[in-house]
Amino acid sequence: MANPLHDRLFAAHEGRTETFLHLADGGALSYAEFLALSARLANVLAAAGLAPGDRLAAQVPKSPEALALYAACAQAGVVFLPLNTAYTVEELSYFIENSGARLVVCDPGQQAALAPVAAGLGAQIETLDARGAGSLMDAARDMPAAFETVARSEDDLAGLLYTSGTTGRSKGAMLTQGNLLSNALTLAEAWRFDADDVLLHALPIFHTHGLFVATNVMLAVGGAMIFLPKFDPDAVIARLPEATAMMGVPTFYTRLLDDQRFSGELVAHMRLFVSGSAPLLAETHRRFEARTGHRILERYGMTETNMNTSNPYEGERRPGTVGVPLPDVDLKITDPETGAALPRGEIGMIEVRGPNVFKGYWRMPDKTAEELRPDGFFITGDLGMIDADGYVHIVGRSKDLVISGGLNVYPKEIELVLDAQPGVLESAVVGVPHPDLGETAVGLIVAEPDARPDIAAIEEAVRGALARFKHPRKLLVVESLPRNAMGKVQKNALRARYRDLFAGVEG
Ligand code: MCA
Ligand code: AMP
């Protein structure tokens, strides 16, 4: 029976003995081995009673088995909900509850803390560690290496990815099989990938970039990946000679440029470097070209939309721009107040429409209606303009968001924690430039009258509540926050005041 995502990305490789994953320890996994692994896992899901449309929440370290779990969900019609390994139990509880996950898969180290949460919410729990061991694989070992693929349509959900909101609460972006498949095929063609490509994969697989952009594109063409557990410059530099392409966030590229071993010679054979998830400074683009002769190809996307624009493969890759809309994407710039389309050259809200655009936010029809127009255009919250040659420039964001090392940090979420601490009257969190992470969060705290907030205790509270990457790199006590006539905190003024806080700081 038909299951477009599984048929095209996975079943198409049935029986192929070519390598799919080259592993960090020098081992390798063929397509046939990977598909057998995922079929065993699909059998485990079915035996656990997961029905098509049920959600599986996975907070697991990167491994071939973790990737096979994604494939298993596609085959069994289960909605895959990957979670950042840095999330705290408090954060995870919300995702499990909000999604109504039927099964939670976590690292064994998290099991004791998560088991009561899962049980309280009626979810089963299994474990999977960085080496691919745990109760999930114990159960898979005895299962058949074949599974009857569950029928799905392009409109059925394949993934639920949470993105934080400016109000503090995360929203689950509902991604259909059609969203994922159409974008993978579009990108594979736009970037000229084929079965001979070997992608160096050092991204996490709990976000769109590492899971859908990188992995789905390679699956679409039947190529191979050098599958590294994380971005470690030593490992990346050691394995680049085997790769033909790499995808990364800007921090990958600045860290490579900071390493003297990263030379033009090392990557002379490479075909393509792609950057996204955060702005790539034009200066980084130029330094990269000066060092290697390669022009990084920058593209732009979102969790809700997959990829929207890309610099051309052939043609000019223009630094400081995110290129042109992908062939099947409509992109317009609108007046943020009225929604009316603006002419070329004017700055406004970026809106996008196409087969890549998600179905809405999970169980949040009001939020969906605020951002997804009835005619299918999604209001991105990014501010931009289209230049005379059709290149899109992102010039800012209307959403209050900090992007640190390619990871989104929502100030509101941190402010809620800071405001709740003893002695804190109010707080504001802003993003400031950071040489390694692009941007980082700084927390400004105003004390209650006669109180002296205990910064160490506040940092401890932040540690308990929020994932490490969201922690402000600096907390400062200030007299007051600048406000406009309406009483709204002027974050632009704060960003300007603290913009040099990390200037010259080493990563
Ligand atoms: C780790 N830490 C971070 C970050 N990552 N802090 C702030 N921002 C981060 N991004 C914490 C670590 O836990 C550590 O804590 C400390 O900061 C320093 O860690 P470091 O060794 O420098 O970190 P790392 O492990 O090397 O990770 C940095 C990284 C990584 C390689 C840039 O964050 C990464 O792989 N980022 C890519 C994220 C990504 O895939 N984004 C795509 C999502 P301590 O000091 O306590 O030890 S966006 C997306 O998918 C959209 C659709 C798109 O367009 O692509
Ligand atoms: P996320 O919600 O994690 O999917 O992050 C999506 C956001 O990342 C977008 O709305 C943009 O603000 C930002 N983003 C992604 N790619 C780029 C890029 N190439 N340049 C600037 N910002 C980007």
Side-chain angles (χ1 to χ4, degrees):
M1 269 194 275
N3 178 321
L5 190 70
H6 194 267
D7 294 348
R8 181 64 180 79
L9 297 190
F10 300 102
H13 307 299
E14 206 73 65
R16 280 187 57 199
T17 52
E18 289 92 337
T19 296
F20 171 41
L21 301 177
H22 297 277
L23 306 176
D25 64 4
L29 206 67
S30 70
Y31 268 101
E33 288 166 327
F34 180 80
L35 291 179
L37 185 60
S38 66
R40 288 184 204 281
L41 287 168
N43 278 303
V44 175
L45 305 188
L50 267 72
D54 282 348
R55 278 77 56 212
L56 179 152
Q59 190 198 35
V60 289
K62 186 175 173 183
S63 69
E65 290 77 8
L67 196 61
L69 188 56
Y70 160 58
C73 286
Q75 191 167 21
V78 168
V79 182
F80 188 56
L81 193 178
L83 292 160
N84 192 323
T85 46
Y87 287 144
T88 62
V89 171
E90 198 172 314
E91 289 167 315
L92 293 171
S93 308
Y94 170 77
F95 298 124
I96 298 168
E97 178 171 15
N98 185 266
S99 65
R102 289 280 308 275
L103 176 63
V104 177
V105 183
C106 68
D107 187 87
Q110 281 277 68
Q111 190 183 14
L114 273 183
V117 176
L121 297 168
Q124 305 172 58
I125 191 161
E126 299 286 356
T127 60
L128 181 62
D129 72 12
R131 290 169 303 117
S135 66
L136 189 75
M137 288 309 297
D138 291 344
R141 213 158 288 126
D142 300 329
M143 290 290 178
F147 180 82
E148 188 166 339
T149 303
V150 170
R152 297 269 89 187
S153 76
E154 293 219 334
D155 203 37
D156 283 320
L157 294 195
L160 190 60
L161 267 67
Y162 277 81
T163 82
S164 289
T166 38
T167 50
R169 267 304 179 206
S170 290
K171 302 167 286 187
M174 298 191 286
L175 294 156
T176 65
Q177 286 216 343
N179 294 150
L180 303 184
L181 188 54
S182 65
N183 212 234
L185 299 177
T186 298
L187 295 176
E189 187 170 339
W191 298 338
R192 310 286 191 271
F193 274 93
D194 67 28
D196 293 330
D197 272 306
V198 180
L199 181 83
L200 192 145
H201 192 302
L203 288 157
I205 53 168
F206 43 69
H207 283 304
T208 295
H209 197 161
L211 187 62
F212 301 144
V213 183
T215 304
N216 283 355
V217 164
M218 297 318 291
L219 286 163
V221 299
M225 298 197 283
I226 301 168
F227 203 60
L228 302 178
K230 60 172 288 199
F231 181 83
D232 166 24
D234 291 345
V236 169
I237 286 169
R239 303 298 294 263
L240 271 172
E242 299 160 51
T244 64
M246 184 177 115
M247 296 184 194
V249 297
T251 299
F252 284 19
Y253 294 112
T254 50
R255 286 187 182 181
L256 285 174
L257 285 169
D258 286 344
D259 195 310
Q260 287 316 313
R261 294 170 298 173
F262 183 70
S263 63
E265 207 179 323
L266 184 77
V267 295
H269 66 289
M270 294 276 288
R271 186 176 73 73
L272 182 63
F273 290 92
V274 180
S275 176
S277 307
L280 180 77
L281 295 179
E283 186 217 336
T284 309
H285 191 283
R286 292 194 186 102
R287 277 177 66 208
F288 198 88
E289 185 178 13
R291 176 89 63 94
T292 68
H294 289 285
R295 290 174 75 84
I296 298 174
L297 185 154
E298 185 172 9
R299 55 61 176 179
Y300 156 64
M302 293 182 73
T303 301
E304 289 92 333
T305 65
N306 297 285
M307 298 306 102
N308 297 309
T309 72
S310 172
N311 270 280
Y313 186 78
E314 280 138 18
E316 193 194 349
R317 298 178 194 168
R318 210 172 267 192
T321 82
V322 293
V324 301
L326 288 164
D328 48 2
V329 175
D330 287 334
L331 184 147
K332 63 180 179 178
I333 307 292
T334 60
D335 181 323
E337 302 301 323
T338 65
L342 294 174
R344 273 199 179 181
E346 285 194 27
I347 293 173
M349 178 68 73
I350 300 177
E351 297 194 24
V352 293
R353 178 171 70 182
N356 51 318
V357 174
F358 77 144
K359 210 174 169 168
Y361 294 113
W362 177 254
R363 293 181 179 163
M364 291 186 185
D366 295 348
K367 294 274 175 216
T368 303
E370 278 171 27
E371 296 179 36
L372 197 54
R373 297 188 189 279
D375 64 1
F377 272 98
F378 176 68
I379 306 167
T380 61
D382 290 312
L383 301 174
M385 67 103 165
I386 306 177
D387 70 19
D389 300 322
Y391 284 72
V392 177
H393 300 236
I394 298 179
V395 300
R397 302 176 200 127
S398 71
K399 50 194 174 194
D400 193 10
L401 161 69
V402 180
I403 305 184
S404 165
L407 292 174
N408 287 8
V409 179
Y410 281 84
K412 185 74 192 171
E413 205 180 353
I414 306 169
E415 288 160 5
L416 288 172
V417 176
L418 297 180
D419 290 348
Q421 303 311 311
V424 175
L425 178 66
E426 60 174 356
S427 66
V429 171
V430 291
V432 298
H434 188 278
D436 179 43
L437 299 166
E439 262 186 321
T440 195
V442 172
L444 291 329
I445 290 172
V446 179
E448 280 171 349
D450 303 325
R452 286 193 37 214
D454 178 345
I455 294 294
I458 294 176
E459 283 170 348
E460 186 59 36
V462 169
R463 266 196 291 280
L466 302 172
R468 171 74 179 104
F469 70 88
K470 298 178 188 172
H471 299 180
R473 286 287 155 109
K474 216 159 225 148
L475 285 178
L476 300 170
V477 177
V478 295
E479 280 295 305
S480 62
L481 298 174
R483 291 181 187 278
N484 66 14
M486 311 288 287
K488 197 168 176 290
V489 175
Q490 289 175 302
K491 291 208 166 175
N492 279 340
L494 289 172
R495 277 189 282 268
R497 190 178 302 165
Y498 296 103
R499 61 169 302 114
D500 293 328
L501 208 53
F502 294 96
V505 169
E506 290 291 310

